Amino acid sequence: MILFSSAFISSCKKEEDTGQDLSVTMLNVSYGTNAQQKIDVYLPANRSSLNTKVMILIHGGGWNSGDKSDFNAYVDSLKKREPSYAIFNINYRLANTPDVFPAQELDVKAAVEFLYSKRQEYMISDKFVLVGASAGGHLALLQGYKYSTQVKPKAIIDFFGPTELVDMYNNPPNPLVPLLLFSVTGQTPTTNNSLYTQSSPVNFISSQSPPTMILHGGIDIVVSPSQSLLLNTKLFTAGVTHQYVFYPAEGHGWVGANLSDSFNKIQTFLAANVQ
């Protein structure tokens, strides 16, 4: 269910709020004490703490596997398409004993707060965008809808993320899904309904939720398209700016022309909603 280098660190002269003239790459920056709590940092040239937008990538892998390196190709594409963005590609504790859910949710929150605290040092703004695929899409949505006291994201990009875990458990697209959810939470909706409801992004949608782009394939047998349809309906009802992109013949992830199309649509969506 996994889905979706040597470090070059360039020194540069600080210029308060007028930008840095060189790009910087730093790999495996710690945002916590656990060995898995690492971020790859890609800072653009000529950045400014007033204007440089931030994109945070959250990998998939069923919450219990995967790595930020799974998103390296996305980093390359996004750097070319959005060269003015600072990009942060994060790891989080994988959901194995003792780090079952919500450890992953809390790690994403900690990473976002860490980056927010580094705004002046990194010369980045508070214009944050969250991008996630599958389990990472779920974590991006949960962070963006549930937590906004420190920084409210300007937009969320969700590639086929789970949105309502009780329904995902009770109406799975394949029989392995309930087993996965039990393994990463240690619970079922019957034994701990609160954990499942508190871990479901759709339960935190309001009229103030960030603009959201949803992308899903029609033959996904890992995360049912019904999860994204529910999210789409909830966002529409709440009056939240959103876009639902559906690829009828794609499964749990795609490449080629449709992936290029996805990035084109993401670029347009961010231009319209992240000012």
Side-chain angles (χ1 to χ4, degrees):
M1 294 189 180
I2 296 178
L3 295 80
F4 308 135
S5 77
S6 61
F8 169 72
I9 305 178
S10 51
S11 60
C12 46
K13 179 182 177 183
K14 270 197 174 182
E15 301 176 17
E16 186 176 358
D17 283 341
T18 58
Q20 304 260 2
D21 59 359
L22 296 176
S23 62
V24 174
T25 295
M26 297 179 288
L27 304 184
N28 293 312
V29 174
S30 295
Y31 67 89
T33 58
N34 189 282
Q36 295 179 84
Q37 294 170 322
K38 304 287 189 182
I39 307 178
D40 290 346
V41 176
Y42 304 91
L43 304 176
N46 303 311
R47 60 195 177 277
S48 161
S49 58
L50 293 177
N51 299 313
T52 297
K53 301 166 187 174
V54 171
M55 190 177 299
I56 301 172
L57 307 184
I58 310 170
H59 71 80
W63 300 281
N64 62 5
S65 63
D67 185 82
K68 55 184 166 58
S69 62
D70 299 338
F71 258 162
N72 283 349
Y74 280 41
V75 170
D76 291 340
S77 294
L78 291 166
K79 284 171 69 175
K80 291 174 183 175
R81 289 172 176 269
E82 301 287 1
S84 65
Y85 270 78
I87 298 175
F88 300 92
N89 189 14
I90 75 171
N91 266 352
Y92 47 86
R93 285 172 292 169
L94 299 178
N96 301 297
T97 305
D99 297 319
V100 294
F101 211 85
Q104 299 66 47
E105 171 188 338
L106 298 177
D107 278 5
V108 172
K109 181 175 183 288
V112 170
E113 291 173 350
F114 171 83
L115 294 174
Y116 186 79
S117 75
K118 291 285 189 178
R119 295 188 323 283
Q120 291 302 318
E121 179 180 339
Y122 288 166
M123 298 291 287
I124 56 176
S125 74
D126 61 357
K127 301 171 183 176
F128 283 28
V129 174
L130 304 177
V131 181
S134 193
H138 164 262
L139 293 171
L141 294 167
L142 196 58
Q143 170 66 31
Y145 297 157
K146 190 173 182 179
Y147 301 105
S148 60
T149 54
Q150 190 165 73
V151 56
K152 178 182 174 182
K154 299 297 184 183
I156 305 170
I157 308 298
D158 160 42
F159 282 92
F160 41 85
T163 66
E164 214 288 1
L165 298 192
V166 175
D167 179 72
M168 188 176 183
Y169 187 97
N170 291 329
N171 299 290
N174 77 70
L176 295 179
V177 170
L179 298 177
L180 171 66
L181 289 171
F182 177 77
S183 73
V184 301
T185 64
Q187 303 287 338
T188 71
T190 300
T191 61
N192 193 338
N193 184 263
S194 176
L195 175 62
Y196 275 71
T197 57
Q198 288 294 306
S199 303
S200 297
V202 294
N203 293 331
F204 299 95
I205 291 172
S206 74
S207 61
Q208 303 304 307
S209 294
T212 302
M213 171 173 273
I214 312 159
L215 304 102
H216 214 123
I219 53 174
D220 191 334
I221 61 168
V222 179
V223 179
S224 171
S226 65
Q227 291 279 305
S228 285
L229 286 171
L230 176 60
L231 175 59
N232 184 58
T233 299
K234 293 276 190 177
L235 292 170
F236 179 81
T237 301
V240 177
T241 299
H242 68 287
Q243 182 177 354
Y244 180 40
V245 182
F246 184 66
Y247 298 101
E250 296 290 2
H252 198 62
W254 48 87
V255 297
N258 279 343
L259 184 58
S260 294
D261 179 72
S262 297
F263 280 120
N264 289 340
K265 287 181 167 59
I266 290 168
Q267 195 169 10
T268 300
F269 188 82
L270 295 181
N273 293 288
V274 185
Q275 307 301 325

